Amino acid sequence: MKKKLAIIGSGDLGQLIAHHAKSCNFEIVGFYDDFQTQESAANKFTLLGKVSDIENDFEVNKFDEISIAIGYKHLEFKEQIIQILLAQNIPLASIIHPSAYIDSSAKIGKGVTVLPHTTVDAGCEIEDGVLLNTGVCIAHDTKIKTCCFIAPAAALAGFIKIEKRCFIGINSTIIDNISICQDTKIGAGAVVTKSITEKGLYVGIPAKKIKSLK
């Protein structure tokens, strides 16, 4: 029997997660979005209401689990939403596409999204709210903290530690045995060859800091 899934965020990311969740034994019942109205959602998707409606709707069984489709520009807000939902005992859906490979020894947190053809190798730890986009490769014993967003085709070698709320850009590469501090952003195609201890935007080969972040 399929589980009823609600999604926070009805934008492109929400629609993408809904598309793939259908392959993961979920029935999409609708979206919560504070920036949409029934008029704007008409004939496009089912708008269940605002984020403030979630707790009451769960109590009346409108959905079984919930996914959070908040993009990489708002990872701190995503973390806040996760904390609220966990405090309300609302189940966070972990959506793992059937084409992904997750080693049996890997640990996957709550509310994790793993899109098609991604690999998570032995000994990895993926914490709550992480999104692994299409074709990501996570080598053995790498740890990714809560609410990181890993873009398509990013390649992470072994024994890496990525702290919370990091964004790793499309087709970027991170070599083994390094750490990346929280709230860091890695640009598209960058190659990270040493640990990053100051948050900011890093781009290029090898990756260098070009912008500080608040």
Side-chain angles (χ1 to χ4, degrees):
M1 184 176 179
K2 292 185 177 181
K3 295 180 180 178
K4 295 183 292 185
L5 179 70
I7 299 173
I8 300 175
S10 61
D12 293 339
L13 181 60
Q15 299 301 327
L16 179 67
I17 290 175
H19 173 74
H20 289 302
K22 294 174 184 175
S23 301
C24 306
N25 206 34
F26 285 107
E27 173 193 358
I28 313 303
V29 296
F31 298 81
Y32 292 96
D33 197 319
D34 288 355
F35 302 98
Q36 296 284 356
T37 64
Q38 293 297 343
E39 289 75 20
S40 63
N43 301 319
K44 299 177 183 175
F45 55 85
T46 300
L47 182 64
L48 298 173
K50 308 290 186 184
V51 171
S52 57
D53 298 320
I54 291 173
E55 186 175 19
N56 288 336
D57 286 355
F58 179 67
E59 291 177 355
V60 296
N61 299 315
K62 277 194 175 181
F63 62 90
D64 300 314
E65 297 185 8
I66 195 162
S67 176
I68 305 169
I70 295 175
Y72 62 86
K73 294 181 179 179
H74 305 285
L75 295 178
E76 188 170 353
F77 178 62
K78 180 177 182 179
E79 185 178 29
Q80 293 171 1
I81 293 292
I82 286 176
Q83 291 171 350
I84 291 171
L85 295 175
L86 290 175
Q88 294 171 338
N89 293 316
I90 295 175
L92 305 181
S94 283
I95 298 169
I96 300 176
H97 194 271
S99 69
Y101 169 73
I102 309 294
D103 189 84
S104 60
S105 64
K107 297 178 180 177
I108 305 295
K110 300 174 181 175
V112 171
T113 300
V114 182
L115 296 186
H117 304 296
T118 280
T119 294
V120 179
D121 208 348
C124 288
E125 296 181 16
I126 311 298
E127 291 194 354
D128 297 350
V130 170
L131 186 145
L132 304 178
N133 218 311
T134 304
V136 167
C137 181
I138 312 289
H140 61 95
D141 298 298
T142 283
K143 299 179 180 179
I144 302 178
K145 297 289 187 178
T146 185
C147 290
C148 287
F149 188 111
I150 315 298
L156 282 63
F159 296 107
I160 291 171
K161 186 176 182 180
I162 298 180
E163 298 293 345
K164 62 183 181 179
R165 302 190 303 265
C166 286
F167 169 76
I168 309 300
I170 187 169
N171 203 35
S172 57
T173 299
I174 302 174
I175 70 166
D176 59 301
N177 286 293
I178 67 173
S179 298
I180 295 178
C181 67
Q182 69 182 43
D183 298 310
T184 295
K185 297 184 186 306
I186 305 298
V191 177
V192 182
T193 59
K194 60 183 180 181
S195 291
I196 293 174
T197 58
E198 294 182 3
K199 67 180 181 181
L201 173 60
Y202 292 77
V203 302
I205 304 173
K208 296 183 182 300
K209 184 179 178 181
I210 63 166
K211 183 180 180 181
S212 296
L213 299 174
K214 295 181 180 178

